[in-house]
Amino acid sequence: MGSHDVDNGARRWFDVADAVPLLLDARGVVTSWTRDAERLFGYAAAEAVGKDLAGLLTVGDAARVPDVLELCRRSGGWAGLLSARRKDQHPVPVMARFTSADEPGGPGRWLVLVNEMGEAHGWSMSRSVLEQMVSGSPIGIAIVDTDLRFVWSNETLAQFGGGAPESRLGLRLADVQPGFDAEAVEARMRQVLETGEPVVGYEHVGRLRAAPFRETAHMLSFTRLDDDRHRPMGVYYTVVDITDRHRARQRLALLDRAGRHIGRSLDTARTARELAEVVVPGFADAVAVDLLESVLRGAEPVVERAEAPDGSVALRRAGLRSAGGGPEEGAGAVVSHPAGSPVVGCLTTGLAWRAQRLGPDAADENWYLPPVGAGAGPPSALIVPVRARGATLGVTTFLRRSTHEPFDEDDLTLAEDLVSRAAVCLDNARRYTRERDAALVLQRSLLPRRLPEQDAVEVAACYRPADTLTGLGGDWYDLIPLSGARVALVVGEVQGHGIDAAAAMGRLRTAVRTLAALELPPDEVLAHLDDLVSRAQEDGDAPEQGDGEPARAAEALGAGCLYVVYDPVDGRCAMAAAGHPAPAVVLPDGTITFVDLPQGPPLGAGGPPFESTELLLPEGSTLALHTDGLLSQGEQWTPEAGRERLVGALTARADSLDLRCRTVIDALVPDRPRDDVALLMARTRRLSPDRVAQWELPADPAAVAEARKAAARRLADWDLAELAFTTELVVSELVTNAIRYATGPIRLRLIRERALVCEVHDGGATTPHVRHPRTTDEGGRGLLLVSQVTRRWGTRFVPDGKIIWAEQSLTDPGV
């Protein structure tokens, strides 16, 4: 049967029965031709006989024919792949086998068996060739039957333990490798038997019987073997030792964990604890970090000898950790190390010390070592000096139980790397302790410790600094109560970090609070703030460095600010921005939008005037005011992507506004962000109509008495009769002033919030002020009386006039 009659999909090897025979003379000329050859090559016998073999091949392989014939003469045969060329010039890949067909005394001849390759995968292999391949493979190979019992394995597999190939026959994996997780491995084998899908790259980590103290890692791959009828015969699997790769990954993971967890503050004791926590239990079973007392005080490292006559060295055990976990006895205690101990040797020489196994009485002789556990046997030990910038700050002692592999040179190198990283953080803590304390005090004084209580909004705030070493940046937030139960919400940002940025931030925050007291609209507040920053720059009002040059740290120039005023009486919200992102609004139904807010230039940068936007917010809406650091985290970001991430974080539900605020920060900002982040969230409230009373008054002196009576009736309804006298006096004086000095309509409004607010609106544009009349003057005492009987009073201007207001305390009547 010719090769073209064979089902290519079922062809797994080449059979001689499928081969097309050709007979060549010694020169490679065709001397015999068959019908199968005619079907394969397309040439009739009359055309092919006498033709050189090279004429039946493509150009590239035709040039190889002399070399192939020479190899045949030297070795008696040849086998390989060639590209035949049919009569129609179509190339056909074939497998050719040359064997000698010489007869005694006759001329030299070659029998060539040609198989059309089609979809075949390569040569056919004899059993001896296959056995050479698998027996000499550096990879462990085994075959188990459907009962998962060994039926064959190569010699390499014996290197992983479990005995020679012949000793495995008929046994299960658990029988030959007790330390292996045989149950999990056999589960993978059964999975392959059931599904026929191979499992590749399954990793197993454990301890083998051949190496009980050493953790080893192996990579296994499983493939099902089927018979000719496609019935499962068993599983073929391979094993590769990847222990070195596994340990390298562990070391890299440990270094990565150390980089993320060590040195997150300038607290020396905390940094020492972080070092101990990172390496236990992954690297060592017990760790002690002993530091000089002078280091903990922030002073220069000084070795202090104990008072004992043997000259022992006293160190503070700043970090202590053992594999058992829980509170560590002895942490924070002073430990005296004997003069001849390895610890003192490391302190004086600056060199590390290693012992594969300490002596059997190590716990008694070296009582200063960290506890590794009772009955554990002699541990392996490493002692590494904590050195930074040429100074020794202390020592770190690592212990590993006798049931684990001893420390080797690679472990020592890793320990030195870990300790050197921690040493830099410890030395930074020592060098900057005073600066840190000053920075934290400044931060606490500048950022509000607690936002004022009021009824306009429910508020929560979160601040996350970029520089965890100083804990201080230039972002800030604030809430400022205004007259008429209104509040101002402020978020701002000064470029840079550190004390200079904080100082600039403090100046801006103070200026904003001062301007807010003037009851100005948001755009005018930012305009005045912009003028202050510009004048400060023109006057050279910048911090100076020690050499007298202006500091290049962050200053108020180019700062951003968002100023929002919310009125809980009618739900109106006005805002303006100076180089600052617009806030997000979460409506009561969960819809999230961003305010279409005109962007003004950064403060002090110059440009077009600031513009305000006003919107009406339903009760229960949440404003999310934030600095741009909230949106700009990540290596690749765009404003649109940042807003999408913020919307996703705001969608998450939370039990309280405080928790929601923290959830947003945690979702969008890493523990050590590249930029400071401030987030101020305010959920709007509305004052119920029964807490607000308003009357339109004519510009008639007779209206004063009616206004007093109306106010008194409303106070009675509010159960505030004790404030009636004072309120009538305030209403009388304010309404009288409006009738006497102002124009246009007059409105009286009472608001019962945390204070009782009395407001009188008129169309005048003049600012009233307190006068100090002479004894003989008949008038001029109105505002003086108001200022004496109320807690505070003031004036704010609105588009159609002004409002004079006065507040009385509800908790302390008469104030």
Side-chain angles (χ1 to χ4, degrees):
M1 179 172 61
S3 61
H4 57 282
D5 296 324
V6 178
D7 180 4
N8 287 332
R11 182 183 296 145
R12 302 295 182 189
W13 56 79
F14 301 111
D15 198 311
V16 174
D18 297 330
V20 175
L22 302 177
L23 197 61
L24 307 178
D25 63 13
R27 296 174 301 163
V29 176
V30 177
T31 59
S32 176
W33 197 253
T34 65
R35 289 185 178 181
D36 288 336
E38 182 176 341
R39 284 194 293 268
L40 177 61
F41 291 93
Y43 292 99
E47 297 174 297
V49 173
K51 195 177 186 67
D52 193 286
L53 176 63
L56 300 176
L57 303 177
T58 58
V59 175
D61 283 349
R64 298 172 55 196
V65 171
D67 294 334
V68 169
L69 293 176
E70 179 62 28
L71 287 172
C72 288
R73 284 190 286 270
R74 289 203 307 263
S75 58
W78 180 84
L81 295 175
L82 294 172
S83 182
R85 184 177 59 186
R86 295 172 53 87
K87 184 177 180 179
D88 59 5
Q89 303 302 311
H90 183 72
V92 179
V94 297
M95 171 67 76
R97 299 171 179 79
F98 288 71
T99 58
S100 175
D102 294 348
E103 296 181 357
R109 292 188 302 174
W110 300 102
L111 175 64
V112 183
L113 299 177
V114 180
N115 289 89
E116 183 179 359
M117 293 296 293
E119 297 180 3
H121 301 300
W123 303 21
S124 61
M125 295 290 183
S126 66
R127 175 167 179 164
S128 63
V129 174
L130 290 173
E131 287 182 346
Q132 291 179 54
M133 292 173 57
V134 295
S135 298
S137 171
I139 299 173
I141 304 173
I143 298 175
V144 297
D145 61 15
T146 53
D147 293 327
L148 307 185
R149 298 185 180 276
F150 284 97
V151 297
W152 181 89
S153 62
N154 66 352
E155 291 288 346
T156 306
L157 193 65
Q159 299 176 9
F160 303 117
E166 59 272 12
S167 66
R168 294 173 179 261
L169 296 177
L171 300 178
R172 297 273 290 270
L173 183 60
D175 300 326
V176 300
Q177 288 284 25
F180 230 63
D181 187 0
E183 184 176 347
V185 174
E186 290 188 348
R188 299 299 186 282
M189 293 181 182
R190 292 190 185 93
Q191 174 187 339
V192 172
L193 281 173
E194 292 171 3
T195 66
E197 295 292 330
V199 173
V200 179
Y202 171 72
E203 292 191 14
H204 174 274
V205 179
R207 298 188 184 188
L208 303 180
R209 184 169 58 183
F213 300 127
R214 181 173 184 263
E215 188 179 67
T216 57
H218 298 88
M219 181 179 289
L220 297 88
S221 297
F222 308 90
T223 305
R224 192 175 77 182
L225 297 176
D226 297 339
D227 60 16
D228 293 337
R229 297 183 181 181
H230 304 290
R231 295 176 302 188
M233 297 171 54
V235 174
Y236 159 88
Y237 75 88
T238 61
V239 183
V240 179
D241 190 335
I242 58 169
T243 301
D244 290 341
R245 188 194 315 172
H246 172 69
R247 297 187 69 181
R249 284 204 306 258
Q250 284 184 316
R251 289 187 173 96
L252 289 175
L254 181 60
L255 290 173
D256 177 66
R257 191 162 66 252
R260 288 184 286 110
H261 292 282
I262 298 176
R264 291 175 292 181
S265 71
L266 273 176
D267 188 308
T268 52
R270 177 179 173 183
T271 304
R273 291 195 299 269
E274 290 167 348
L275 171 59
E277 291 167 358
V278 162
V279 298
V280 176
F283 178 72
D285 294 309
V287 172
V289 182
D290 298 337
L291 300 177
L292 297 167
E293 286 282 2
S294 56
V295 172
L296 293 168
R297 295 195 303 267
E300 292 296 321
V302 176
V303 177
E304 298 174 356
R305 297 285 176 177
E307 297 180 358
D310 60 359
S312 57
V313 177
L315 299 176
R316 177 75 65 176
R317 185 143 288 175
L320 180 63
R321 191 80 170 180
S322 64
E328 306 291 351
E329 295 184 5
V334 176
V335 179
S336 295
H337 297 269
S341 65
V343 169
V344 175
C346 290
L347 275 175
T348 55
T349 65
L351 301 176
W353 179 85
R354 177 172 69 94
Q356 279 201 326
R357 294 291 179 204
L358 296 176
D361 300 325
D364 297 329
E365 297 175 359
N366 304 310
W367 54 268
Y368 50 83
L369 294 176
V372 74
S380 179
L382 286 177
I383 301 179
V384 180
V386 181
R387 290 182 57 81
R389 300 179 177 94
T392 302
L393 313 179
V395 294
T396 303
T397 304
F398 303 85
L399 295 183
R400 189 177 286 176
R401 295 175 185 269
S402 58
T403 54
H404 294 171
E405 187 178 11
F407 290 115
D408 57 20
E409 287 295 332
D410 289 339
D411 292 325
L412 177 58
T413 301
L414 177 60
E416 289 177 328
D417 195 359
L418 287 169
V419 173
S420 66
R421 295 185 181 204
V424 173
C425 298
L426 289 167
D427 194 51
N428 285 340
R430 177 187 66 81
R431 294 164 64 92
Y432 297 110
T433 296
R434 294 181 180 87
E435 287 81 354
R436 172 180 176 273
D437 292 342
L440 292 177
V441 170
L442 181 59
Q443 182 189 33
R444 285 193 294 267
S445 66
L446 294 178
L447 288 178
R449 295 185 183 181
R450 184 176 59 187
L451 295 173
E453 295 183 359
Q454 34 70 46
D455 290 337
V457 292
E458 178 188 357
V459 67
C462 287
Y463 173 75
R464 184 164 292 180
D467 183 4
T468 57
L469 294 180
T470 62
L472 188 64
D475 292 13
W476 92 92
Y477 58 88
D478 208 348
L479 183 146
I480 308 169
L482 302 176
S483 64
R486 300 170 307 134
V487 292
L489 303 169
V490 190
V491 169
E493 179 174 11
V494 173
Q495 298 175 1
H497 307 97
I499 293 179
D500 290 329
M505 175 264 282
R507 292 195 295 269
L508 283 181
R509 180 168 177 257
T510 302
V512 169
R513 294 184 73 89
T514 302
L515 292 170
L518 300 178
E519 303 279 1
L520 299 173
D523 54 335
E524 293 187 29
V525 169
L526 293 184
H528 285 289
L529 197 62
D530 181 70
D531 290 340
L532 289 174
V533 173
S534 298
R535 284 199 300 270
Q537 285 299 120
E538 293 172 0
D539 297 340
D541 183 14
E544 293 188 352
Q545 297 174 338
D547 56 4
E549 292 295 326
R552 296 185 179 181
E555 297 176 5
L557 181 64
C561 184
L562 174 65
Y563 189 86
V564 179
V565 175
Y566 174 70
D567 189 341
V569 174
D570 55 11
R572 294 189 181 278
C573 182
M575 63 186 71
H580 203 85
V585 180
V586 184
L587 297 177
D589 62 0
T591 304
I592 300 175
T593 61
F594 288 87
V595 178
D596 185 12
L597 181 63
Q599 276 297 315
L603 298 176
F610 299 101
E611 298 181 48
S612 288
T613 292
E614 188 173 285
L615 59 156
L616 189 65
L617 293 178
E619 184 175 10
S621 301
T622 301
L623 282 167
L625 290 71
H626 59 86
T627 54
D628 59 7
L630 187 70
L631 305 182
S632 62
Q633 303 298 327
E635 295 297 329
Q636 296 181 348
W637 72 276
T638 62
E640 293 76 15
R643 284 190 170 191
E644 289 179 5
R645 293 176 64 234
L646 177 56
V647 168
L650 289 171
T651 304
R653 298 294 180 183
D655 294 335
S656 66
L657 191 63
D658 280 328
L659 184 58
R660 190 175 194 181
C661 189
R662 289 194 299 270
T663 299
V664 172
I665 288 289
D666 292 338
L668 301 182
V669 184
D671 291 337
R672 303 181 67 176
R674 297 183 304 174
D675 192 12
D676 295 25
V677 175
L679 173 63
L680 179 65
M681 299 185 70
R683 183 179 294 139
T684 61
R685 297 168 175 155
R686 286 283 187 93
L687 292 182
S688 60
D690 61 353
R691 298 174 64 183
V692 180
Q694 181 170 298
W695 299 272
E696 298 286 339
L697 302 176
D700 183 351
V704 176
E706 293 299 324
R708 287 199 304 267
K709 294 177 183 179
R713 287 193 297 268
R714 181 49 58 99
L715 291 182
D717 295 339
W718 286 345
D719 294 327
L720 296 177
E722 68 274 11
L723 297 180
F725 176 77
T726 305
T727 305
E728 288 185 47
L729 174 61
V730 171
V731 168
S732 178
E733 294 298 334
L734 296 185
V735 172
T736 299
N737 278 349
I739 294 174
R740 180 177 299 176
Y741 300 111
T743 60
I746 300 173
R747 288 192 298 272
L748 169 64
R749 185 168 71 166
L750 296 180
I751 302 173
R752 181 184 178 183
E753 193 215 13
R754 292 177 181 267
L756 178 63
V757 181
C758 176
E759 296 182 341
V760 174
H761 172 275
D762 61 55
T766 58
T767 302
H769 59 277
V770 176
R771 295 176 56 191
H772 297 277
R774 295 187 298 270
T775 305
T776 56
D777 289 344
E778 296 183 359
R781 296 178 176 84
L783 289 181
L784 180 61
L785 289 174
V786 169
S787 67
Q788 294 295 317
V789 299
T790 60
R791 182 170 64 180
R792 61 176 186 150
W793 73 279
T795 304
R796 69 176 184 269
F797 289 90
V798 292
D800 57 347
K802 69 176 183 296
I803 294 174
I804 306 177
W805 55 269
E807 285 186 6
Q808 300 177 71
S809 173
L810 295 181
T811 58
D812 186 12
V815 178

